[in-house]
Amino acid sequence: MLGWSWRARTVREWLFVSGTRRSGSGGRAGSHDGGTMAGVMVVEDEQVIAEDLARSLMTLGYEVTGMATTAEECVKGAGQRRPDLVLMDIRLAGELDGIDAARLLREHFDVPVIFLTAYADEETLRRAKLTGPSGYLVKPFRKSELRGAVEAGLLRHRMESQLRRSERRYCATLRAIERAFRYTSGPV
């Protein structure tokens, strides 16, 4: 998997073997559509934090679809694995930061992002808001805060997607009515 270190693979395998990782959540936490596990990508350049996040997500019933340490790895991995949600550290090593990655994910894949940050300066928050994030978690945070943020982010994204589909159907219906009206009220 993209960005998985030997240590992270070991943690993942341990969780799988120990029975902590679930094959389906059946409506429990981690379920985003009433039965399938939601896939979450972790983007964090500090390995210890990334491993802890992955372990927490798996114990909460989520599937960790990948881990990345840079914005570039994140975008590439999201294109390959299509996560349901991304937990994104704002400060990342490399040319692009987490805010840049979130903008690319929104534009290309319509993936919701929850920012993780220990920094909350005004300029960073202003830039982050422009990407339309599903939430923010300020480090350090508790597992209950992580669960709440992920569930709220998944729900918000699902509702926004349903609203966009509904709006497209509504517009198509109005166009069809307009065409029918022109056709039937043509020249007399």
Side-chain angles (χ1 to χ4, degrees):
M1 294 183 91
L2 179 72
W4 283 101
S5 70
W6 174 86
R7 211 149 139 225
R9 276 194 302 273
T10 303
V11 168
R12 185 169 182 237
E13 290 167 1
W14 175 83
L15 289 168
F16 183 79
V17 170
S18 70
T20 306
R21 184 169 176 204
R22 297 175 182 96
S23 60
S25 59
R28 296 185 302 265
S31 171
H32 70 107
D33 65 0
T36 60
M37 271 192 336
V40 179
M41 176 180 255
V42 175
V43 184
E44 170 63 64
D45 58 354
E46 293 192 37
Q47 194 65 38
V48 172
I49 295 171
E51 290 175 9
D52 187 50
L53 267 171
R55 191 174 25 257
S56 293
L57 288 165
M58 287 186 272
T59 61
L60 289 171
Y62 300 101
E63 177 184 3
V64 176
T65 61
M67 294 174 70
T69 58
T70 66
E72 294 83 0
E73 282 180 0
C74 166
V75 173
K76 183 178 178 184
Q80 295 169 347
R81 292 181 184 77
R82 305 291 182 170
D84 297 307
L85 184 131
V86 174
L87 290 174
M88 177 85 65
D89 187 13
I90 289 179
R91 308 268 180 173
L92 296 172
E95 242 180 79
L96 304 175
D97 65 8
I99 296 170
D100 296 322
R103 182 182 45 77
L104 292 169
L105 291 175
R106 175 75 76 181
E107 290 173 5
H108 297 288
F109 307 114
D110 189 33
V111 176
V113 172
I114 294 174
F115 285 120
L116 309 173
T117 186
Y119 310 99
D121 65 87
E122 287 300 316
E123 177 60 18
T124 300
L125 289 175
R126 185 194 65 73
R127 284 184 60 228
K129 283 185 214 175
L130 295 175
T131 66
S134 291
Y136 295 89
L137 282 171
V138 178
K139 300 176 196 174
F141 48 83
R142 293 186 303 269
K143 194 183 285 190
S144 61
E145 294 168 325
L146 175 63
R147 177 190 301 222
V150 170
E151 287 297 313
L154 290 168
L155 177 62
R156 175 181 174 195
H157 184 69
R158 186 170 56 244
M159 292 173 69
E160 287 174 349
S161 296
Q162 289 172 348
L163 180 60
R164 283 192 299 271
R165 282 192 302 273
S166 177
E167 287 172 343
R168 283 193 298 268
R169 283 192 306 267
Y170 179 70
C171 288
T173 301
L174 286 177
R175 284 192 297 272
I177 290 170
E178 182 182 359
R179 282 193 304 270
F181 181 74
R182 282 193 208 146
Y183 178 76
T184 59
S185 63
V188 181

